[in-house]
Amino acid sequence: MVKGRLTSRLMGGTLRATLNGQDYQFDDDREIRVGRDPSADMVSANPYVSRDHAVVRQQGDGWILEDRGSRGGTYLGSQRISSLPITAATTVRLGDPHEGDELQLVPSVVLAAVAPAAPAQPVAQAEPVPPVAQAIGANIRMGRPTGVYRTDRPRIRIGRAPDNDVVVDDMLVSRYHAELLASPGGFQIADLGSHNGTFVNGQRVDRAPVGENDIIGLGHQQFRVVGGALEAYEDVGTVEFEASGLSVFVGEGRTILSEVSFTLPENCFLAIVGPSGAGKSTLMKALTGFTPADRGTVLYNGRDLYESIEELRPRIGYVPQDDILHPQLTVRKALGFAAELRFPSDVSKAERDQAVAGVMEELGLTHRADLPIHKLSGGQRKRVSVALELITKPSLLFLDEPTSGLDPGFEKSAMELLRELADGGRTVIVVTHSLQSLHLCDRVIFLAPGGTTAYFGPPKDALEYFAQSDYADVFRTLERDVAEQDFKGRFEQSTFYRQYVSEPAARARLMDKQGAQPAPPRPAQRSWAGQLNVLVRRHLAVIAADRGLLLMLILLAPLLGFALFAVLGSGGLKTTFGDIPGKGHGQVPNTSTMNVLFGIVFCVGLVGVVDSFREIVKELPIVRRERSIGLSLSAYLTSKLVVLVPFVLVQSTVLTLIAVSQQGGPHFSNVLKPPVLELVVDIAATGLAAMVTGLLISAAVTTSDKATPLMAAVVASSLLLAGVLFDLRDKPGIRELSYLTSSRWGFAAAASSTNLKFLEVNQCHEPPHESCDAAWAHKTSVWLTNLAGLGGIMVLGVAGAGYALRRRDPHTRPKRANV
């Protein structure tokens, strides 16, 4: 007989238990855990049994059995139970009423702890369990009930505020979230304008009837109405996760993921490994539900993830391979801004700060809270990326290559962190090429090229299965022998397949389907204006924290202005009268006006493009991740304009005033007085058009390296197509192309304002150019046309940047054709 930890005598007496022919005896006051977890007090190997299936504990003078929200349930006869007093010899089944393990429980009178247990007595039937303890269905796993509420009032309000009838401590739930309303013959649930929505059986509703077979979802909370009472359940992370027959096709039916199936118990750590082209990232995307498989089923605690993705998405965290961080910010600030975007606007700053402090403490970042992220080690930066996701307390955490680029020491630390996260109450799934830490995982799935399963099971058994001495040899086998071996067929004939795949995933196979649609973006936690406010403050904080960038924004315009001041000489905008040889007394044409105007226009165009050509591309990983949590792309793009426009306006004004300070003018204008004001407006509009062009470049490319040559091409175009160095009026095609450059319209506007035709001798008074470019004429209509040209470039640039961002949005891409 195997005995539990014993004391001499206890009020509740001794409990004798038998599971799978193994006898146990307990008489202490701790909880007795039953499940597949090797650390449980009574361990089962049956796949129907959950990892943490049930507990037996003392209650008063006796014992009570409690189901821990297991997937398959605990059964007394054919009746599923959630709790059961053990008042006599009792037999229950774990996981299934027919195929589950049989657990016999026999309480005794007060005995000496060392006395032999009494022989088993005939099984007695306990009294029927009240309806409030019944489970909703055999497949759906609700978790442990956290409360039962009376429903004898016409209206029961649910939310985070303390004056609700049902108060829940969940920041994904609004302060006043929903109401349960009594109606003739039953109940209705009504949403109260919540941020994250109210769901019935995975579908978002404004108002809907609910019966005893319906699940109401609010944030991490679930409710059901049973026997006239409202039962509350909280998703605390103990998730069982199943996949069956996941397949993905591209092109003309080419398979890149082929019928992948597996099941994970609670708090499991899974590694997805395999050579390049094996479909690891494709499988990851299918499991998250953000890009569903073309065929197959994913179950979250027995619920179809694809059908309930809108409700379940806040419970899924995803850490991409690229850091989703602003390295200039401190850890605390980065997490603070993330919390603002991830939580509803009715969550107070104190509540957000508390959530940030909690996740920093959990990940060991508290002592680094006020350190800029770029000063952290690679492993610590990865911890901050994980912390961004843990703020909302997800039950499922997915990580794509979290150890990429880390040295072996940091790689080991990162994998140990993920092990701790799984042990702390989450299911963790990681795509990795790292092999040295696979022993930390509970399960590993090896994918062969073509997206087939070569092995799924405990890592320690993988080497024996492949008959290799280390995991690197397994990789070589998968890469080298892919054409010679049927890895999928061989695995399906193995005992590992029967033990870890076919039997555990039987329920998921029964729900197998195809054609799920991509998940829509998560509803925004803040209004458009609220998101804009957060994004602008974050952008300003990034600029303020990046001293190099801040100095560039402050000094670039003055430096270029003083450079122009030094090289342009003086009097370029001056009007003088004198004796003209052969023409008598009159206006003396200036020979440097064009140089002055073109120098200013070119430099301000350079400033505008440099300010913005990397603004979006450097944040693409952040934008993609925040888009999935409800980020508005228009709010994001607008935030860039809100921050950059004032900078460009100040820079262009400073540059212009410095450059013309010794030019003796301007003395002419079309509309605005004094004339220098109109010239400042011309140059500022030119700078804004160039800045928007830079944003378009930044949105159109995928890496910062690709943005640099495009920026150089734009600067060169502004030099060649302005119509100053080269006369483009007699060059069809090139002339029309110049209309797309800010320098062409900007110079024309400045020339019109300063009356270039009157001042400049070389371009407008000497043959063969006696009629200078019509766009330079000193006329109000011409000037307004030039400004409209600059405005058109701004509108096209913003629209193009928005279109480029939208094209990269996975939520707006068309679904692959089903095969």
Side-chain angles (χ1 to χ4, degrees), residues 391-421:
I391 288 176
T392 55
K393 300 181 180 179
S395 301
L396 283 173
L397 182 62
F398 293 86
L399 303 98
D400 192 358
E401 295 286 0
T403 60
S404 177
L406 301 181
D407 63 37
F410 287 138
E411 181 274 334
K412 182 178 180 181
S413 297
M415 293 295 282
E416 288 175 343
L417 167 66
L418 301 182
R419 175 70 267 172
E420 293 171 5
L421 293 177

Side-chain angles (χ1 to χ4, degrees), residues 685 689 692 745 784-798:
V692 169
W745 296 106
L784 291 175
T785 300
N786 293 329
L787 289 184
L790 291 170
I793 290 177
M794 295 181 209
V795 171
L796 290 176
V798 172

Side-chain angles (χ1 to χ4, degrees), residues 269-272 284 399 401-402 415 418 428-432 441:
F269 183 15
L270 167 68
I272 303 174
M284 172 78 81
L399 303 98
E401 295 286 0
M415 293 295 282
L418 301 182
V428 178
I429 299 177
V430 56
V431 170
T432 182
C441 303

Side-chain angles (χ1 to χ4, degrees), residues 284 317-324 381-382 384-390 397-402 418 429 625:
M284 172 78 81
Y318 175 67
V319 181
Q321 182 175 350
D322 298 320
D323 286 338
I324 46 177
R381 286 198 300 272
K382 189 57 65 176
V384 181
S385 292
V386 173
L388 290 178
E389 298 303 312
L390 295 189
L397 182 62
F398 293 86
L399 303 98
D400 192 358
E401 295 286 0
L418 301 182
I429 299 177
R625 183 63 189 106

Side-chain angles (χ1 to χ4, degrees), residues 261-379:
S261 301
F262 61 83
T263 184
L264 300 177
E266 306 101 319
N267 305 347
C268 188
F269 183 15
L270 167 68
I272 303 174
V273 295
S276 298
K280 300 185 296 296
S281 295
T282 302
L283 175 59
M284 172 78 81
K285 293 175 183 177
L287 294 176
T288 62
F290 300 152
T291 307
D294 293 310
R295 182 177 298 157
T297 304
V298 179
L299 298 184
Y300 178 107
N301 271 348
R303 299 178 62 184
D304 189 313
L305 178 68
Y306 294 166
E307 290 186 353
S308 304
I309 186 62
E310 285 193 78
E311 177 189 348
L312 299 178
R313 179 173 33 218
R315 309 181 200 180
I316 299 173
Y318 175 67
V319 181
Q321 182 175 350
D322 298 320
D323 286 338
I324 46 177
L325 308 162
H326 289 91
Q328 303 88 347
L329 299 179
T330 64
V331 174
R332 192 189 307 276
K333 283 187 177 180
L335 294 179
F337 285 121
E340 285 194 72
L341 290 174
R342 284 164 169 76
F343 288 130
S345 54
D346 64 0
V347 174
S348 68
K349 184 178 185 302
E351 291 175 305
R352 294 196 306 268
D353 290 344
Q354 183 179 4
V356 168
V359 78
M360 286 194 299
E361 181 177 359
E362 180 179 7
L363 294 176
L365 293 169
T366 303
H367 66 296
R368 304 282 186 181
D370 297 312
L371 198 65
I373 293 171
H374 69 84
K375 293 186 177 180
L376 301 178
S377 66

Side-chain angles (χ1 to χ4, degrees), residues 176-323:
Y176 302 101
H177 197 108
E179 288 181 332
L180 184 70
L181 306 173
S183 62
F187 296 90
Q188 291 185 332
I189 190 72
D191 186 80
L192 298 178
S194 64
H195 289 279
N196 285 313
T198 300
F199 297 84
V200 175
N201 300 326
Q203 303 303 309
R204 186 165 184 163
V205 299
D206 293 323
R207 190 184 187 103
V210 291
E212 294 199 356
N213 292 324
D214 295 320
I215 300 175
I216 304 168
L218 292 73
H220 291 101
Q221 316 297 316
Q222 293 178 326
F223 297 87
R224 60 179 185 170
V225 180
V226 179
L230 180 65
E231 292 186 355
Y233 297 82
E234 181 179 5
D235 187 340
V236 294
T238 52
V239 174
E240 290 197 354
F241 194 62
E242 301 172 60
S244 175
L246 296 183
S247 300
V248 175
F249 312 101
V250 296
E252 299 298 324
R254 183 171 67 90
T255 301
I256 60 174
L257 194 69
S258 177
E259 298 182 351
V260 174
S261 301
F262 61 83
T263 184
L264 300 177
E266 306 101 319
N267 305 347
C268 188
F269 183 15
L270 167 68
I272 303 174
V273 295
S276 298
K280 300 185 296 296
S281 295
T282 302
L283 175 59
M284 172 78 81
K285 293 175 183 177
L287 294 176
T288 62
F290 300 152
T291 307
D294 293 310
R295 182 177 298 157
T297 304
V298 179
L299 298 184
Y300 178 107
N301 271 348
R303 299 178 62 184
D304 189 313
L305 178 68
Y306 294 166
E307 290 186 353
S308 304
I309 186 62
E310 285 193 78
E311 177 189 348
L312 299 178
R313 179 173 33 218
R315 309 181 200 180
I316 299 173
Y318 175 67
V319 181
Q321 182 175 350
D322 298 320
D323 286 338

Side-chain angles (χ1 to χ4, degrees), residues 466-484:
F466 286 105
Q468 300 294 338
S469 58
D470 58 45
Y471 295 116
D473 290 334
V474 174
F475 262 69
R476 291 201 302 175
T477 298
L478 293 176
E479 290 179 315
R480 184 181 61 236
D481 300 337
V482 64
E484 303 174 8

